[in-house]
């Protein structure tokens, strides 16, 4: 959609790692539609949970719990990057890259094809000692599915607990003609709404526990 042209591609960040996946690796066991309808009903245990786990550890827990095609590849990569890369380095049917920025608590998995599945994840440290994890994943075709998910990580229980209210709040309870940009740097979440005659950008600022009422601008 034209107004989405304002959105930039993934920011180039430190710690860029690449892997090559095969077409068979993308044949996931969990459809995006099932993730979309059921993610908020299941808490996710975090193996070797810590007080402040990094983005790689939380993303691994999520991807192993919800093995969509792209999550299947991301989980295998995060568990053993060198082995995964060497195993599939000779197959160039589908090329994915993972960008991991541990200092900013963000990562993404995409490829050069705009029609391929995608995966973005960001964490925020909460003032109560918990960690907020945000994930945006989906596929643009056959049919389009875009899912925005938030979890609270409790260091005492070592569980990622779904926060559907946060997801609904950040997406303004809309399911069409929007795009959510999780921050690859910084803490602000940006939403682009193309449902009206003019595009509107909403900026949600993190306040230590959640997100303030968004500021908006027309473009």
């Amino acid at each position: 959609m034209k107004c989405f042209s304002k959105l930039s591609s993934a920011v180039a960040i430190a710690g860029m790692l690449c892997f090559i996946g095969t077409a068979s690796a993308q044949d996931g066991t969990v459809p995006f539609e099932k993730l979309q309808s059921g993610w908020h009903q299941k808490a996710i245990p975090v193996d070797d949970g810590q007080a402040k786990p990094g983005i790689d550890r939380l993303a691994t827990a999520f991807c192993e719990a919800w093995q969509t095609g792209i999550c299947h590849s991301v989980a295998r990569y995060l568990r053993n990057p060198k082995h995964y890369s060497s195993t599939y380095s000779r197959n160039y049917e589908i090329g994915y890259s993972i960008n991991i920025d541990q200092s900013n608590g963000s990562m993404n998995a995409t490829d050069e094809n705009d029609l391929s599945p995608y995966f973005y994840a960001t964490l925020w440290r909460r003032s109560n000692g918990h960690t907020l994890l945000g994930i945006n994943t989906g596929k643009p075709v056959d049919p389009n599915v875009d899912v925005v998910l938030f979890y609270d990580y409790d260091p005492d229980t070592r569980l990622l607990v779904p926060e559907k209210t946060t997801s609904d709040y950040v997406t303004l309870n809309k399911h069409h003609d929007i795009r959510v940009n999780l921050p690859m740097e910084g803490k602000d979440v940006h939403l682009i709404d193309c449902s009206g005659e003019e595009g509107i950008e909403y900026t949600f600022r993190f306040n230590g526990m959640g997100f303030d009422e968004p500021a908006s601008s027309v473009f």
Side-chain angles (χ1 to χ4, degrees):
M1 189 167 292
K2 185 176 181 179
C3 75
F4 285 150
S5 62
K6 181 180 176 67
L7 298 170
S8 61
S9 58
V11 177
I13 54 180
M16 182 172 179
L17 304 173
C18 295
F19 70 88
I20 303 298
T22 65
S24 61
Q26 297 308 305
D27 294 334
T29 58
V30 178
F32 279 112
E33 292 83 353
K34 184 174 181 179
L35 171 65
Q36 186 176 46
S37 63
W39 71 272
H40 58 281
Q41 300 173 357
K42 179 170 70 175
I44 300 172
V46 179
D47 293 342
D48 301 322
Q50 303 169 347
K52 294 182 177 181
I55 188 63
D56 55 342
R57 189 176 299 272
L58 295 183
T60 298
F62 173 83
C63 286
E64 291 188 340
W66 289 101
Q67 291 212 15
T68 62
I70 192 168
C71 280
H72 177 77
S73 290
V74 169
R76 293 184 66 180
Y77 178 82
L78 291 175
R79 284 297 188 191
N80 196 330
K82 290 183 179 180
H83 175 73
Y84 190 92
S85 297
S86 63
T87 301
Y88 295 105
S89 61
R90 296 180 183 274
N91 189 308
Y92 296 93
E93 293 182 19
I94 298 178
Y96 276 96
S97 67
I98 283 186
N99 300 295
I100 302 176
D101 190 336
Q102 293 285 15
S103 61
N104 283 305
S106 63
M107 66 169 289
N108 63 62
T110 59
D111 72 4
E112 296 180 355
N113 186 347
D114 291 338
L115 303 181
S116 296
Y118 50 87
F119 179 89
Y120 297 87
T122 303
L123 62 77
W124 295 261
R125 303 300 185 189
R126 283 178 150 166
S127 56
N128 65 351
H130 291 208
T131 297
L132 180 66
L133 173 68
I135 291 173
N136 178 209
T137 187
K139 58 188 180 72
V141 293
D142 298 327
N144 172 270
V145 179
D146 184 70
V147 194
V148 179
L149 320 96
F150 283 88
Y151 292 85
D152 176 78
Y153 173 74
D154 186 337
D156 293 328
T157 63
R158 298 183 179 183
L159 288 175
L160 284 167
V161 180
E163 286 200 0
K164 189 173 186 300
T165 54
T166 303
S167 177
D168 289 343
Y169 176 65
V170 169
T171 60
L172 302 178
N173 284 296
K174 295 182 178 181
H175 301 287
H176 301 285
D177 298 325
I178 67 166
R179 183 173 296 178
V180 173
N181 263 3
L182 299 180
M184 295 294 100
E185 295 181 356
K187 297 181 180 295
D188 297 345
V189 174
H190 297 273
L191 179 147
I192 304 297
D193 182 355
C194 291
S195 60
E197 293 183 0
E198 295 182 301
I200 303 175
E201 179 176 8
Y202 296 88
T203 300
F204 296 82
R205 302 191 185 284
F206 185 65
N207 58 27
M209 282 296 294
F211 298 97
D212 290 333
E213 286 289 329
S216 62
S217 59
V218 176
F219 62 91

